[in-house]
Amino acid sequence: MDSQLLNQRPISSILIIIAMQTEALPLVDKFQLKEDVSSVFPKEVPWVRYHGIYKNLEINLIWPGKDLALGVDSVGTISASLVTYASVQALQPDLIINAGTAGGFKAKGAIIGDVFLVSECAFHDRRIPIPVFDLYGVGSKQAMSTPNLLKELDLKVGKLSTGDSLDISAQDEASILANDATVKDMEGAAIAYVADIFKVPAIFVKAVTDIVDGEKPTAEEFLQNLATVSAALDQAVTQVVNFISGKCIHEL
């Protein structure tokens, strides 16, 4: 889609990418989306597409599905980038929304239940200590600027750091600090990478399930808060979609 043309007409098609079923299903219900029975994706992949019309917006919500061997959510950067690539090719969205839970840093002001609109994404576990390759490894990408959306909704703003581990090593922690991140996840920067290739505007909405620099073990805190925080995430995404309805990209 020509970006100048998109700026001049209302957004009509949104691609929502969500890594976990627990995060996705409340939005499927909220927007009254139907599961695609004749998938636009190759038959071999577990990816699930829910679609429908909500307030004149065509919504495609993509969940990467369950791992075919182990039956758990297909989280992480590999699934996220593959799903984003295939979805952009098949569905040609005007806008991508990556919604999901994340770890937050109390040193940066994050508390459990906070919902952040991400300003910038980067990786923290792609360490390539060679000039220029180091910058490629960090892979910093700006999220779409949405000043009017920020003004309208009561969301915090922060940078996102992405890696393929739920826990955090000392090296990861140093990289996250260098990235000046407030929240960390396992998908965002990978989705930003694909969105940037195809020049599709992307918004990242992240809700804090666990405090990375807190006292509790990450996995325990994440599982304890997942359902409650997913409800806050879904409320925020609904507000974002309601705001987007009828607007052009430049009006966000």
Side-chain angles (χ1 to χ4, degrees):
M1 172 61 62
D2 182 89
S3 58
Q4 193 170 8
L5 179 61
L6 176 56
N7 276 333
Q8 295 171 350
R9 66 165 179 78
I11 296 162
S12 63
S13 174
I14 296 176
L15 170 63
I16 302 175
I17 299 173
I18 302 186
M20 299 189 73
Q21 189 176 38
T22 303
E23 301 163 344
L25 290 182
L27 282 175
V28 171
D29 292 339
K30 174 67 181 178
F31 298 137
Q32 298 185 309
L33 306 178
K34 304 295 183 187
E35 186 172 343
D36 190 2
V37 288
S38 55
S39 179
V40 296
F41 302 126
K43 66 181 186 302
E44 294 84 358
V45 301
W47 311 336
V48 181
R49 172 190 173 225
Y50 299 97
H51 62 101
I53 303 296
Y54 175 81
K55 294 195 172 181
N56 295 320
L57 290 168
E58 179 189 357
I59 296 180
N60 286 285
L61 188 153
I62 311 298
W63 165 53
K66 301 280 189 182
D67 180 81
L68 295 172
L70 300 173
V72 296
D73 288 292
S74 300
V75 300
T77 60
I78 295 173
S79 284
S81 55
L82 284 170
V83 160
T84 306
Y85 171 80
S87 299
V88 168
Q89 291 296 294
L91 304 169
Q92 299 290 307
D94 297 330
L95 176 70
I96 295 170
I97 299 175
N98 171 221
T101 53
F105 291 86
K106 66 179 180 182
K108 299 287 286 183
I111 59 174
I112 288 170
D114 274 349
V115 182
F116 283 86
L117 205 56
V118 171
S119 58
E120 186 177 333
C121 306
F123 293 97
H124 58 254
D125 61 353
R126 304 201 314 180
R127 293 177 287 275
I128 313 173
I130 302 170
V132 187
F133 277 100
D134 54 355
L135 298 176
Y136 168 78
V138 173
S140 180
K141 305 290 183 191
Q142 293 287 331
M144 191 181 88
S145 176
T146 54
N148 295 321
L149 177 63
L150 269 176
K151 197 181 300 180
E152 180 75 16
L153 304 184
D154 185 25
L155 302 178
K156 293 186 174 182
V157 180
K159 294 182 181 180
L160 172 70
S161 198
T162 296
D164 270 309
S165 296
L166 181 66
D167 66 3
I168 184 171
S169 69
Q171 284 179 303
D172 287 345
E173 191 167 13
S175 297
I176 290 168
L177 190 64
N179 288 342
D180 192 31
T182 302
V183 285
K184 70 175 277 284
D185 80 340
M186 297 175 65
E187 289 85 24
I191 292 168
Y193 172 77
V194 179
D196 183 63
I197 288 174
F198 293 105
K199 305 306 175 198
V200 182
I203 294 172
F204 302 83
V205 184
K206 299 291 168 175
V208 176
T209 47
D210 54 279
I211 301 301
V212 184
D213 52 348
E215 306 303 320
K216 292 186 179 179
T218 296
E220 177 187 318
E221 195 169 32
F222 168 75
L223 291 171
Q224 179 184 334
N225 295 313
L226 178 59
T228 305
V229 173
S230 289
L233 173 70
D234 294 327
Q235 181 180 357
V237 173
T238 301
Q239 290 175 327
V240 169
V241 171
N242 285 338
F243 182 82
I244 287 169
S245 177
K247 291 184 175 62
C248 305
I249 287 288
H250 71 86
E251 294 176 309
L252 302 185

